[in-house]
């Protein structure tokens, strides 16, 4: 459904997108995972025909993003990262307005937006500017869906939204996916990665890895150990002093270390005998661990 | 067409919902038309005068009272020395000093000639020259009176009779009001349209619009038509105020005035659109629009006649649409000119409309 080949975009000295290639299949929920400034927004803007790439090609639904941009604008839905609906128009007015721009009506496509729209319908006379963050986001999603797009682009839809709304939002994406919609979503949150069918880890404009969320931890090189003790700071200092550790970083309440072979766990325990309540445990790598490893090869 | 209708519906809805735009659209013309013509008045009245009378004779007193009787001068000091009178000028209490030397009457009677001294504070050039010439003509008149008294006949002079056409009472307001009307249209068309489009960029709604299949011309027309309509509403309001407050009834045809206003608005809306395509924020658009509208206004002959400008300035003035429209409005309102007399200006305005809009449309892109 989406095919990206060798796409590059440069702003002055900044190489926002560097020779990116990937493909998204029909009906897939595809996640672009990466920190702020990784090039996610630029990539999505190129695919939604808002930005022209310097080199490379991309097609969405079989249409080229440069030559068939008009066809793409008819068939894709786009929800920008920043809330960009009319704050001085009501929920209803915004929805009708965007339906009209796509040459359709809300009634015609009510089935598509119904599950989401029902949640905000009681407030339909309220101006968009007076809605809560979660409701704004639902409205934006409705507006992006009002013309029954075949591909939906969501740029960091859950940034700045509370945990409950985030969960609800991902439930809605799951629902849309079950209806056969192709969805490309970008997010800086690693925990959301597992909710996608496949993810691309992106950093400094480059794609580090593309795989299913389940397979990505399998790509982890070495053995991951979670180390805990009473004095975390002293522990981190001691760990950093060990030259044979491949990596070592604080991760939540414990410290994650990478070592080369299983025997190194015992060696580590020996080196840290001075710490009280020391705990060294081999754990499976999470997507975030993989990401950190890919970022610092 | 259906899309355009909805775009217009949305624009009007937003305009009517805005708490500052709508009141401004009605208050601005009212206040500007009520205040500006009163203040921007080039008639010079109440010139302050200090007199140094060193003669204290019948003639010197007659001269002073004649000067004051005109009503243009306001006596702020009677001094005996020039130095003392100069203090008045230094303290900005007097614009002019009239010095009557000792032996004024005697010399006038005996030698049939006398000189007077007039010192003028020339910081405000026009006030100084107008005040000076008033005083000169009063003194000349006084001179003739004395001669008449002595010789019993008027000196043979070229007598000039004036006939003031189109504005017989030389009322400055008749000149200013049509000009200010033009200024109002320029503000509504130039500022509001530029700011409105840039606002869509600033709040990001243009992103959402740009991914829709909407056509460029639909979006642009959707933006321009509401302000075109508002501009004509303001124009109508302005004409009404001119009629009922200043009693200025256009001598020429009203439809012709509206034809020009319509074309002029298209030109100035194109200018606003052009600014918006180059600006990213409302602040930028505001500054750029302000810069140009300031130049347009000062170069347009609203306050000063373009004919007295240096050549380069006249060229610049010719290249601003405001100039031509002010000229036309004054001609139609005050002279009752018909289309044949203003068809050149019509051509210029059409050219401006085509040029500014063409440039803006070329520069407006949905893809960055």
């Amino acid at each position: 459904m989406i095919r990206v080949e060798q796409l590059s975009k440069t702003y002055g000295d900044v190489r926002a997108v560097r020779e990116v290639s990937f493909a998204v299949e029909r009906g897939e929920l595809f996640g672009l995972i990466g920190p702020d400034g990784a090039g996610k927004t630029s990539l999505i803007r190129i695919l939604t025909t808002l930005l022209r790439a310097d080199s490379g090609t991309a097609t969405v639904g079989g249409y080229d993003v440069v030559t068939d941009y008009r066809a793409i604008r008819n068939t894709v839905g786009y929800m920008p990262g920043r809330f960009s609906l009319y704050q001085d128009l009501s929920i209803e007015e915004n929805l009708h307005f965007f339906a009209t721009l796509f040459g359709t009506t809300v009634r015609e496509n009510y089935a598509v937006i119904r599950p989401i729209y029902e949640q905000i319908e009681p407030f339909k006379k309220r101006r968009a500017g007076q809605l809560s963050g979660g409701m704004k986001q639902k409205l934006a999603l409705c507006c992006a869906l009002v013309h029954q797009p075949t591909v939906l682009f969501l740029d960091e839809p859950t940034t700045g939204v509370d945990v409950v709304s985030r969960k609800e939002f991902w439930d809605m994406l799951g629902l849309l996916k079950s209806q056969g919609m192709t969805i490309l979503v970008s997010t800086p949150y690693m925990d959301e990665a597992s909710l996608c069918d496949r993810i691309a880890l992106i950093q400094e404009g480059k794609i580090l890895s593309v795989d299913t969320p389940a397979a990505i931890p399998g790509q982890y090189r070495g053995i991951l150990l979670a180390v805990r003790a009473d004095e975390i700071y002293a522990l981190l200092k001691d760990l950093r002093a060990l030259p044979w550790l491949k990596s070592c970083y604080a991760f939540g309440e414990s410290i994650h270390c990478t070592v080369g072979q299983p025997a190194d766990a015992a060696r580590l325990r020996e080196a840290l005998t001075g710490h009280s309540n020391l705990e060294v445990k081999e754990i499976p790598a999470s997507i975030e661990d993989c990401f950190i490893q890919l970022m610092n090869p | 067409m259906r899309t355009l209708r909805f775009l217009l519906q949305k624009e009007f809805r937003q305009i009517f919902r805005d708490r500052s735009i709508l009141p401004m659209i009605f208050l601005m013309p009212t206040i500007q038309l009520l205040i500006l013509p009163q203040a921007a008045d080039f008639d010079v009245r109440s010139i302050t005068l200090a007199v140094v009378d060193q003669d204290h004779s019948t003639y010197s007193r007659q001269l002073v009272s004649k000067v004051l009787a005109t009503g243009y001068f306001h006596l702020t000091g009677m001094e005996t020395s020039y130095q003392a009178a100069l203090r008045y000028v230094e303290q900005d209490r007097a614009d002019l000093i009239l010095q009557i030397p000792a032996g004024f009457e005697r010399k006038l009677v005996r030698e049939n000639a006398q000189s007077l001294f007039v010192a003028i504070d020339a910081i405000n050039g026009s006030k100084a020259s107008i005040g000076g010439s008033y005083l000169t003509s009063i003194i000349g008149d006084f001179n003739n009176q004395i001669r008449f008294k002595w010789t019993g006949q008027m000196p043979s002079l070229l007598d000039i009779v004036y006939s003031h056409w189109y504005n017989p009472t030389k009322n400055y307001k008749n000149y200013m009001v049509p000009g200010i009307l033009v200024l109002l249209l320029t503000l509504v068309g130039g500022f509001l349209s530029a700011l409105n489009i840039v606002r869509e960029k600033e709040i990001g709604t243009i992103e959402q619009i740009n991914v829709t299949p909407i056509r460029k011309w639909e979006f642009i027309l959707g933006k321009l038509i509401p302000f075109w309509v508002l501009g004509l509403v303001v124009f109508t309001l302005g004409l009404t105020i001119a009629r009922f407050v200043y009693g200025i009834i256009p001598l020429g045809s009203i439809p012709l005035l509206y034809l020009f206003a319509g074309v002029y608005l298209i030109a100035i809306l194109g200018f606003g659109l052009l600014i918006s395509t180059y600006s990213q924020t409302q602040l930028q658009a505001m500054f750029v629009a302000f810069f140009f509208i300031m130049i347009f206004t000062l170069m347009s002959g609203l306050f000063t006649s373009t004919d007295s400008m240096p050549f380069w300035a006249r060229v610049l003035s010719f290249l601003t649409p405001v100039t031509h429209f002010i000229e036309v409005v004054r001609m139609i309102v005050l002279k009752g000119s018909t289309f044949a007399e203003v068809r050149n200006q019509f051509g210029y305005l059409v050219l401006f409309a085509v040029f500014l809009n063409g440039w803006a449309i070329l520069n407006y892109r949905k893809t960055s």
Side-chain angles (χ1 to χ4, degrees):
Chain A
M1 223 33 199
I2 304 172
R3 216 150 286 278
V4 177
E5 263 160 58
Q6 297 292 310
L7 216 55
S8 293
K9 174 74 191 175
T10 314
Y11 302 106
D13 291 341
V14 184
R15 297 172 67 192
V17 179
R18 301 197 227 176
E19 289 153 12
V20 165
S21 302
F22 66 89
V24 180
E25 300 310 317
R26 184 179 297 273
E28 201 173 22
L29 175 54
F30 190 90
L32 273 179
I33 319 282
D36 293 343
K40 303 187 297 288
T41 300
S42 296
L43 198 53
I44 289 185
R45 282 170 56 89
I46 291 171
L47 293 176
T48 47
T49 76
L50 289 171
L51 192 66
R52 200 166 281 184
D54 297 334
S55 61
T57 56
T59 59
V60 175
Y63 300 112
D64 187 276
V65 289
V66 179
T67 53
D68 303 324
Y69 68 94
R70 192 151 276 156
I72 291 182
R73 285 178 184 166
N74 271 312
T75 51
V76 306
Y78 170 50
M79 183 175 149
R82 202 160 56 120
F83 181 73
S84 39
L85 299 174
Y86 293 97
Q87 313 252 7
D88 47 355
L89 295 184
S90 69
I91 288 185
E92 219 179 7
E93 287 162 351
N94 266 302
L95 203 56
H96 279 285
F97 177 67
F98 282 102
T100 315
L101 291 194
F102 283 104
T104 177
T105 59
V106 176
R107 189 171 306 158
E108 230 171 276
N109 299 297
Y110 191 70
V112 187
I113 59 167
R114 196 181 55 94
I116 304 152
Y117 188 57
E118 269 177 350
Q119 302 176 33
I120 51 172
E121 208 169 5
F123 315 101
K124 64 182 180 186
K125 298 277 180 216
R126 200 182 283 184
R127 308 245 172 111
Q130 292 156 358
L131 296 174
S132 69
M135 291 211 290
K136 272 184 182 167
Q137 187 204 32
K138 280 169 195 157
L139 173 60
L141 186 60
C142 284
C143 288
L145 288 171
V146 76
H147 59 295
Q148 281 209 41
T150 51
V151 185
L152 184 61
F153 290 94
L154 305 157
D155 190 7
E156 300 201 7
T158 53
T159 300
V161 176
D162 70 78
V163 184
V164 179
S165 296
R166 263 171 73 184
K167 196 188 163 301
E168 276 178 14
F169 193 80
W170 277 92
D171 290 344
M172 286 185 272
L173 293 190
L175 194 73
L176 291 170
K177 188 180 95 89
S178 68
Q179 291 167 357
M181 195 170 287
T182 310
I183 303 169
L184 186 125
V185 57
S186 79
T187 174
Y189 302 120
M190 302 289 166
D191 55 325
E192 290 179 346
S194 59
L195 302 165
C196 302
D197 293 331
R198 278 196 310 146
I199 54 174
L201 299 180
I202 179 168
Q203 157 81 0
E204 286 177 354
K206 270 196 299 206
I207 293 216
L208 305 173
S209 172
V210 181
D211 216 327
T212 62
I216 283 202
Q219 298 174 355
Y220 200 77
R221 298 182 305 276
I223 293 162
L224 188 67
L225 299 174
V227 186
R228 294 178 72 156
D230 286 342
E231 293 291 325
I232 285 281
Y233 183 65
L235 182 67
L236 188 63
K237 261 193 358 197
D238 288 347
L239 283 167
R240 290 228 164 112
L242 298 174
W244 48 273
L245 281 186
K246 287 206 164 87
S247 71
C248 161
Y249 48 90
F251 194 103
E253 288 181 325
S254 56
I255 295 170
H256 283 189
C257 306
T258 321
V259 292
Q261 42 200 296
D264 285 338
R267 198 174 156 197
L268 191 67
R269 241 179 238 116
E270 244 164 68
L272 300 169
T273 42
H275 289 269
S276 54
N277 287 329
L278 182 73
E279 213 179 283
V280 178
K281 203 165 56 178
E282 192 180 325
I283 51 160
S286 69
I287 291 170
E288 194 163 347
D289 290 308
C290 296
F291 194 86
I292 291 168
Q293 190 176 57
L294 290 165
M295 266 166 56
N296 311 293
Chain B
M1 266 347 251
R2 184 169 161 260
T3 313
L4 184 61
R5 212 182 71 222
F6 269 82
L7 275 170
L8 290 177
Q9 190 189 338
K10 171 223 146 212
E11 283 306 326
F12 275 115
R13 199 172 264 161
Q14 284 186 307
I15 290 168
F16 285 118
R17 230 165 246 186
D18 194 302
R19 277 195 203 148
S20 60
I21 288 186
L22 209 61
M24 271 309 285
I25 282 171
F26 290 97
L27 280 179
M28 192 173 70
T30 317
I31 293 176
Q32 290 209 355
L33 273 173
L34 291 182
I35 290 177
L36 277 182
Q38 313 282 349
D41 188 337
F42 279 5
D43 287 347
V44 174
R45 266 182 232 99
S46 70
I47 304 160
T48 46
L49 176 75
V51 174
V52 183
D53 187 355
Q54 292 166 330
D55 195 42
H56 294 291
S57 59
T58 323
Y59 276 153
S60 77
R61 271 191 292 274
Q62 267 180 13
L63 175 61
V64 172
S65 63
K66 189 174 169 64
V67 168
L68 295 180
T70 57
Y72 288 111
F73 295 94
H74 178 66
L75 188 69
T76 50
M78 249 326 200
E79 289 295 330
T80 46
S81 78
Y82 177 68
Q83 264 65 31
L86 200 58
R87 294 283 302 150
Y88 281 88
V89 177
E90 283 165 1
Q91 290 164 358
D92 210 20
R93 283 161 61 201
D95 299 315
L96 291 178
I97 300 172
L98 173 65
Q99 192 179 13
I100 305 168
F104 173 73
E105 189 181 66
R106 188 162 34 92
K107 254 177 128 182
L108 197 63
V109 174
R110 276 205 206 137
E111 295 169 29
N112 208 6
Q114 179 51 288
S115 53
L116 283 168
F117 178 72
V118 176
I120 303 172
D121 176 2
I123 285 183
N124 183 339
S126 63
K127 195 172 185 180
S129 65
I130 291 170
S133 64
Y134 282 170
L135 199 56
T136 313
S137 74
I138 294 167
I139 294 168
D141 208 27
F142 178 72
N143 203 3
N144 290 340
Q145 263 183 17
I146 295 173
R147 281 168 180 273
F148 181 66
K149 223 155 93 182
W150 290 348
T151 61
Q153 61 182 44
M154 282 298 278
S156 51
L157 279 175
L158 285 173
D159 194 20
I160 301 163
V161 178
Y162 294 94
S163 168
H164 298 286
W165 278 84
Y166 309 122
N167 188 2
T169 54
K170 287 195 285 180
N171 187 345
Y172 195 68
K173 291 181 184 97
N174 289 355
Y175 180 71
M176 282 311 286
V177 170
I180 289 167
L181 215 54
V182 173
L183 188 66
L184 289 173
L185 282 200
T186 313
L187 290 177
V188 170
F191 271 108
L192 289 185
S193 62
L195 289 183
N196 185 283
I197 299 170
V198 177
R199 195 169 73 130
E200 298 243 358
K201 277 193 195 176
E202 219 174 56
I203 59 177
T205 43
I206 204 145
E207 284 275 88
Q208 201 69 268
I209 298 251
N210 281 350
V211 289
T212 68
I214 182 177
R215 297 302 178 100
K216 195 154 102 171
W217 64 265
E218 286 175 328
F219 180 76
I220 290 175
L221 276 184
K223 284 291 176 195
L224 297 190
I225 291 174
F227 291 105
W228 190 78
V229 172
L230 280 183
L232 289 182
V233 169
V234 166
F235 190 64
T236 309
L237 192 66
L239 282 179
T240 314
I241 292 174
R243 164 74 184 83
F244 290 104
V245 177
Y246 296 102
I248 299 172
I249 303 164
L251 286 175
S253 114
I254 302 261
L256 183 62
L257 259 176
Y258 273 89
L259 172 71
F260 269 94
V263 175
Y264 176 72
L265 269 170
I266 295 174
I268 211 76
L269 285 168
F271 164 76
L273 181 68
L274 181 63
I275 288 179
S276 74
T277 59
Y278 281 105
S279 315
Q280 294 307 316
T281 63
Q282 292 190 67
L283 196 66
Q284 279 175 8
M286 188 79 190
F287 262 111
V288 176
F290 185 74
F291 171 77
F292 279 104
I293 287 180
M294 187 90 174
I295 291 183
F296 283 180
T297 312
L298 293 180
M299 299 298 288
S300 65
L302 175 60
F303 299 110
T304 47
S305 168
T306 50
D307 297 326
S308 52
M309 291 178 180
F311 178 73
W312 61 266
R314 264 182 317 202
V315 172
L316 214 63
S317 167
F318 188 83
L319 293 175
T320 60
V322 189
T323 312
H324 304 291
F325 190 47
I326 286 187
E327 213 176 310
V328 166
V329 173
R330 280 180 180 152
M331 282 171 82
I332 297 177
V333 171
L334 301 176
K335 271 191 186 175
S337 301
T338 56
F339 185 75
E341 283 138 348
V342 290
R343 61 163 185 253
N344 281 353
Q345 280 86 348
F346 187 77
Y348 299 143
L349 287 181
V350 168
L351 281 181
F352 274 115
V354 171
F355 172 74
L356 288 168
N357 283 290
W359 185 1
I361 289 168
L362 280 181
N363 199 49
Y364 174 82
R365 298 247 176 285
K366 282 177 78 175
T367 313
S368 53

